[in-house]
Amino acid sequence: MSSNVGLTTPRGSGTSGYVQKNYAHLKPRDNQAPYPKDFDTLKHRQRQPNKEILEHDRRREIEVKVFELRDRLEDEGVEEDDIETQTSALRKKLEGESQAKGAKSNARGLKSHQVHELAKAKIEESEKLRKALGIRKDYEEGSHWKKQEERVKDAVRNEEG
């Protein structure tokens, strides 16, 4: 016997003495509600992208292309001065293109691990949809029902008074 559990000896008990767990026993739970009472916490908040990470990824993409050019030129045996001028020209060109491109991003070309880029694309998509449907920026979800309830209450008050 371990930890003094069970019978000291199964003799005369009519059992084998094997001790097993009672799976039917329910442990008491804490008395908290399984859902929050504050409905403001239930509102959907869109995940904001980290601008520093987005900038880092943009610069890294440029540097990868510059490094590929440098590697190819070194394999061809081009002089170091020519390599430096060509890579700096490519870097300036790519940075100019990315600045001109601006904040536009295509969510279709993104992978699932690019969460900040996906979040940025989702915000842009939501903003475009909001503008297309003519929804105000200060619109609160469910506000229509609140206004309708207020109208019903006002109508009841007017009938009484």
Side-chain angles (χ1 to χ4, degrees):
M1 291 284 113
S2 64
S3 304
N4 294 329
V5 177
L7 304 170
T8 54
T9 176
R11 292 179 69 186
S13 67
T15 65
S16 67
Y18 181 76
V19 178
Q20 57 186 354
K21 185 176 180 180
N22 182 3
Y23 288 104
H25 177 68
L26 296 174
K27 294 180 182 177
R29 291 185 168 201
D30 52 349
N31 292 332
Q32 294 178 352
Y35 49 86
K37 301 264 187 211
D38 186 19
F39 292 108
D40 291 335
T41 59
L42 295 175
K43 283 184 180 177
H44 172 71
R45 279 184 247 126
Q46 203 163 27
R47 184 176 183 157
Q48 298 296 318
N50 188 336
K51 292 179 182 174
E52 293 174 357
I53 292 176
L54 291 172
E55 181 65 20
H56 172 78
D57 287 343
R58 184 187 67 81
R59 286 186 177 167
R60 184 178 182 278
E61 209 173 282
I62 291 171
E63 289 302 318
V64 165
K65 291 177 182 174
V66 169
F67 184 75
E68 287 172 353
L69 174 68
R70 173 180 284 279
D71 192 37
R72 185 170 42 89
L73 291 175
E74 286 175 353
D75 288 344
E76 293 174 359
V78 179
E79 292 183 21
E80 189 65 32
D81 294 337
D82 293 336
I83 292 174
E84 284 297 322
T85 56
Q86 287 184 20
T87 54
S88 63
L90 178 66
R91 185 178 291 118
K92 286 180 183 176
K93 177 185 154 207
L94 291 174
E95 285 179 356
E97 287 176 359
S98 70
Q99 293 295 333
K101 183 180 171 184
K104 301 290 181 188
S105 62
N106 185 8
R108 292 180 187 209
L110 298 175
K111 307 250 186 320
S112 62
H113 62 83
Q114 296 174 309
V115 292
H116 295 278
E117 289 88 347
L118 286 170
K120 181 181 176 188
K122 184 65 177 176
I123 289 173
E124 290 172 359
E125 179 188 358
S126 297
E127 189 68 21
K128 187 186 284 186
L129 183 66
R130 184 187 62 75
K131 286 180 180 177
L133 296 176
I135 300 172
R136 297 185 322 263
K137 280 190 175 184
D138 61 341
Y139 175 76
E140 186 177 326
E141 190 174 328
S143 62
H144 169 75
W145 301 112
K146 291 178 185 175
K147 289 178 184 175
Q148 192 172 3
E149 287 177 9
E150 290 174 7
R151 288 183 199 135
V152 169
K153 287 179 184 177
D154 289 342
V156 170
R157 285 185 204 138
N158 289 339
E159 289 176 5
E160 292 175 355

